[in-house]
Amino acid sequence: MANILKEDICDREDSFDIKSNIVLKATDQTCLLIDFLSEVLSHSYLEKSIYCKVIFIKLTATDVIADIYGKKTIGFDEEIKAVTYHEAEVVKTRGNTWETFIIFDI
């Protein structure tokens, strides 16, 4: 998502200008992921920043508490209108990893 908003801004994680905290509850892990990304997107527009790093303080299937770290920007390369629920589903693979498919409304 960060790379869509501003290409290559997160390639160097040497310093961050801004830190925000996100606390969310959702009905399931897919909703939690979409809600989390939507919240990060909202912070991006409100703070005119691109968020490159997240530290999860608490992460369960229905709860998240996280600190996000970003860099201020003058403008965005592309506008993301929304993170959509369309076709979104978080699934655990046979290799014991998690995957999802997310569509951004641009």
Side-chain angles (χ1 to χ4, degrees), residues 49-61:
S49 297
I50 305 295
Y51 290 90
C52 303
K53 180 179 177 178
V54 61
I55 295 179
F56 292 102
I57 298 159
K58 177 182 180 182
L59 180 60
T60 68

Side-chain angles (χ1 to χ4, degrees), residues 1 7 9 12 14 17 21 25 31 33 46 49 53 56 63 80 82-83 95-96 102:
M1 186 169 76
E7 193 170 344
I9 195 167
R12 291 182 41 227
D14 52 350
D17 305 316
N21 183 262
K25 287 185 177 291
C31 288
L33 175 62
L46 288 171
S49 297
K53 180 179 177 178
F56 292 102
D63 296 276
I80 298 175
V83 183
N96 209 24
I102 297 173

Side-chain angles (χ1 to χ4, degrees), residues 44-86:
S44 292
Y45 287 124
L46 288 171
E47 302 295 336
K48 294 179 179 56
S49 297
I50 305 295
Y51 290 90
C52 303
K53 180 179 177 178
V54 61
I55 295 179
F56 292 102
I57 298 159
K58 177 182 180 182
L59 180 60
T60 68
T62 59
D63 296 276
V64 66
I65 300 172
D67 289 330
I68 55 174
Y69 298 84
K71 298 178 181 185
K72 291 284 191 179
T73 185
I74 294 170
F76 300 102
D77 294 341
E78 188 77 49
E79 180 181 332
I80 298 175
K81 295 177 188 172
V83 183
T84 69
Y85 289 91
H86 181 71

